């Protein structure tokens, strides 16, 4: 019955699809826990923008504070994705106000909801959407494979959970999975990406994924390599937004010993700021290649994680491909603007990987991270967690 009611609600929704583009149609690069409402200044948004973010997400205590943030953010080419109490207490007022704000990106409805909460969230979305059908509605889902979350830990239950979320009026499938712990890479991470990608293809909704940028609990200090691995694996699977958890360091009362996010709880840059800034500079160009592209296949070489498949067919115009490295690689093929591309991601965030590749003809070209075409070589060294790109035709 719940599924039927949810479908009926969807039939009532507008056919107009709200935009989920960041500034100038760029891929959203989202600072999750961005500029807080108690520290909303021009300087804060300038620093966030200079770190490479174009969307700031933070829960605001009032509609007025959210509007203030939108207006400051707009000066720096940033948009704000956020909830505020008025979205549920007075949705007509909230939607009528926010739909006019240039710096507003969309409505954050819920972080990590249960299956039972999704129907209620759909009703809340419809209340806002009747007034504002031009902005995003955002829900972020739980991950797959975390032992402590037994309600959806089994694959069939998790797939049903994701499918239920895809049936809501949210324009994207967002999920968090913090894949690198002090014990190493979570073995279920790539399976999680497979499940999300499958539902994204089935529903026609793009998916958004995360990079962990704040050490806490079982998670180590981020390095450029750990963050590259997460960002580039997400892109290789087809992610259409990259979210960093977090930008602002949460308070100590959260209970997870958060520390050394890109900025402290008081808004001061940390060593992580420069690492995130460097990665975002890379993403500024690399993400353009993946944004609104069609990923046609994703496979693995050497180590084949649970739920994934081994690369067995050579990409177009490639005669041979071999990687040498303990963890192996993600091999992604995708299309954009009439061209075919190949991406190879080093799954080892602690060591380099060798790639030996031979073209079948003179057509394929190597692409730098600045998307500059170069003649192909037959051997490459890929840095820890990094990506190698080729234009196949």
């Amino acid at each position: 019955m719940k599924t039927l009611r949810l479908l009926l609600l969807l039939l009532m929704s507008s056919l107009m699809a709200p935009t989920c583009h960041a500034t100038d149609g760029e891929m959203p690069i989202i600072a999750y826990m961005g500029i807080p409402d108690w520290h909303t200044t021009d300087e804060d948004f300038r620093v966030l923008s200079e770190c490479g973010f174009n969307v700031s997400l933070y829960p605001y205590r009032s509609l007025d504070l959210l509007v203030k943030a939108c207006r400051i953010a707009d000066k720096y080419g940033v948009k704000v994705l956020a909830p505020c109490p008025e979205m549920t207490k007075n949705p007509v007022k909230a939607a009528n106000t926010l739909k006019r704000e240039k710096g507003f990106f969309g409505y954050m409805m819920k972080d990590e909801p249960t299956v039972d909460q999704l129907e209620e969230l759909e009703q809340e979305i419809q209340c806002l959407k009747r007034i504002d059908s031009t902005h995003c509605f955002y829900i972020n889902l739980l991950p797959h494979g975390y032992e402590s979350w037994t309600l959806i830990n089994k694959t069939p239950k998790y797939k049903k959970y994701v499918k239920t979320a895809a049936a809501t009026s949210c324009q994207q499938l967002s999920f968090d999975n913090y894949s690198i712990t002090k014990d190493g890479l979570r073995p279920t991470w790539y399976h999680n990406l497979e499940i999300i990608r499958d539902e994204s293809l089935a529903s026609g909704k793009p998916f958004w994924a995360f990079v962990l940028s704040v050490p806490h609990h079982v998670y180590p200090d981020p390095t450029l390599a750990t963050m590259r691995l997460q960002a580039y694996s997400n892109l290789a699977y087809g992610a259409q937004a990259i979210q960093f958890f977090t930008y602002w360091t949460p308070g100590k009362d959260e209970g997870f010993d958060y520390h050394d996010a890109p900025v402290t709880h008081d808004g001061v840059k940390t060593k992580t700021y420069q690492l995130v800034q460097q990665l975002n500079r890379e993403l500024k160009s690399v993400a353009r290649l993946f944004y609104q592209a069609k990923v046609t296949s994703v496979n693995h070489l050497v180590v084949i994680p649970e739920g994934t498949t081994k690369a067995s067919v050579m990409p177009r115009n490639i005669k041979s491909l071999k990687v040498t490295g303990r963890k192996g690689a993600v091999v992604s093929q995708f299309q954009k603007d009439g061209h075919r591309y190949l991406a190879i991601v080093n799954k080892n965030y602690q060591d380099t990987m060798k790639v030996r590749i031979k073209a079948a003809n003179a057509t394929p070209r190597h692409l730098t991270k600045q998307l500059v075409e170069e003649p192909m070589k037959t051997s490459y060294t890929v840095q820890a967690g990094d990506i190698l790109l080729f234009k196949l035709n």
Side-chain angles (χ1 to χ4, degrees):
M1 289 299 293
K2 286 186 175 181
T3 302
L4 178 60
R5 288 198 297 270
L6 188 56
L7 289 173
L8 290 173
L9 282 168
L10 287 174
L11 289 174
M12 295 165 58
S13 68
S14 168
L15 294 177
M16 181 185 298
T19 177
C20 288
H21 298 301
T23 305
D24 298 324
E26 294 177 329
M27 178 181 285
I29 306 297
I30 301 170
Y32 196 103
M33 300 300 285
I35 305 300
D37 54 10
W38 47 270
H39 219 286
T40 303
T41 68
D42 280 71
E43 176 66 8
D44 290 313
F45 274 103
R46 182 189 64 79
V47 171
L48 179 138
S49 176
E50 290 178 352
C51 196
F53 293 104
N54 52 30
V55 178
S56 175
L57 185 158
Y58 199 90
Y60 284 82
R61 289 171 294 170
S62 73
L63 179 60
D64 288 343
L65 288 169
L66 174 51
V67 168
K68 175 186 175 183
C70 289
R71 292 178 181 176
I72 298 174
D74 185 54
K75 299 178 188 178
Y76 299 93
V78 176
K79 294 184 183 293
V80 178
L81 172 61
C84 67
E86 288 85 348
M87 288 182 188
T88 52
K89 295 179 179 178
N90 193 343
V92 173
K93 178 183 178 182
N96 273 317
T97 300
L98 292 169
K99 72 179 182 180
R100 298 190 295 267
E101 293 298 326
K102 289 173 59 180
F104 183 58
F105 186 81
Y107 303 86
M108 179 182 177
M109 305 307 298
K110 182 72 175 177
D111 182 46
E112 298 185 339
T114 63
V115 175
D116 291 339
Q117 290 172 324
L118 289 170
E119 182 183 349
E120 180 181 343
L121 290 170
E122 177 62 24
Q123 293 172 345
E124 293 177 8
I125 291 171
Q126 291 305 321
C127 289
L128 294 161
K129 194 175 181 181
R130 279 191 284 270
I131 306 298
D132 181 4
S133 61
T134 62
H135 287 100
C136 272
F137 297 94
Y138 169 94
I139 294 171
N140 181 57
L141 302 178
L142 288 158
H144 173 52
Y146 284 30
E147 293 180 359
S148 58
W149 289 325
T150 57
L151 290 177
I152 57 168
N153 194 39
K154 300 300 182 182
T155 298
K157 289 184 177 180
Y158 187 76
K159 287 182 176 180
K160 182 179 179 181
Y161 171 63
V162 175
K163 186 174 290 292
T164 303
T168 70
S169 294
C170 285
Q171 292 77 45
Q172 72 292 312
L173 290 171
S174 174
F175 79 108
D176 55 51
N177 188 320
Y178 306 125
S179 53
I180 298 172
T181 73
K182 293 176 182 178
D183 294 327
L185 192 69
R186 289 188 186 275
T188 54
W189 177 42
Y190 284 109
H191 192 190
N192 201 160
L193 277 166
E194 294 275 348
I195 293 170
I196 295 291
R197 169 174 153 75
D198 286 346
E199 187 55 45
S200 174
L201 292 172
S203 65
K205 295 185 175 184
F207 78 87
W208 296 2
F210 274 83
V211 171
L212 185 63
S213 53
V214 59
H216 66 287
H217 194 39
V218 299
Y219 304 105
D221 288 1
T223 66
L224 184 58
T226 61
M227 292 190 294
R228 274 176 170 165
L229 176 59
Q230 294 167 83
Y232 291 137
S233 291
N234 291 335
L235 291 179
Y237 267 84
Q240 293 296 288
I242 299 297
Q243 307 172 78
F244 286 77
F245 180 86
T246 62
Y247 171 74
W248 203 272
T249 302
K252 294 181 180 179
D253 58 349
E254 299 288 345
F256 286 98
D257 187 29
Y258 292 107
H259 59 94
D260 291 308
V263 298
T264 68
H265 189 64
D266 297 320
V268 178
K269 294 179 185 177
T270 71
K271 61 183 180 180
T272 309
Y273 181 95
Q274 283 73 29
L275 296 176
V276 172
Q277 185 181 51
Q278 181 176 344
L279 179 55
N280 280 342
R281 284 172 179 159
E282 295 178 14
L283 289 175
K284 184 78 173 178
S285 57
V286 174
R288 290 206 316 268
L289 187 63
F290 286 91
Y291 192 46
Q292 299 182 327
K294 178 183 178 182
V295 175
T296 55
S297 68
V298 189
N299 304 106
H300 290 250
L301 287 174
V302 184
V303 176
I304 316 301
E306 175 190 350
T308 70
T309 56
K310 182 179 179 179
S312 58
V313 178
M314 283 296 118
R316 175 174 289 195
N317 296 328
I318 298 298
K319 183 178 180 180
S320 65
L321 171 63
K322 182 179 180 181
V323 303
T324 304
R326 291 187 301 111
K327 302 297 183 180
V330 180
V331 179
S332 171
Q333 297 183 61
F334 57 103
Q335 300 175 8
K336 185 174 182 181
D337 298 333
H339 297 286
R340 294 173 183 264
Y341 297 91
L342 171 66
I344 302 171
V345 179
N346 180 4
K347 291 190 291 186
N348 193 331
Y349 58 87
Q350 296 176 320
D351 205 354
T352 59
M353 175 183 73
K354 294 287 188 181
V355 174
R356 290 177 172 81
I357 185 168
K358 290 184 180 180
N361 50 51
T363 303
R365 305 276 287 177
H366 172 240
L367 285 177
T368 69
K369 286 182 181 175
Q370 293 73 41
L371 307 188
V372 176
E373 293 186 23
E374 297 179 340
M376 267 188 67
K377 298 187 295 185
T378 57
S379 179
Y380 294 88
T381 298
V382 184
Q383 296 302 310
D386 215 345
I387 193 169
L388 183 63
L389 296 166
F390 298 96
K391 184 179 180 180
L392 299 180
N393 72 346

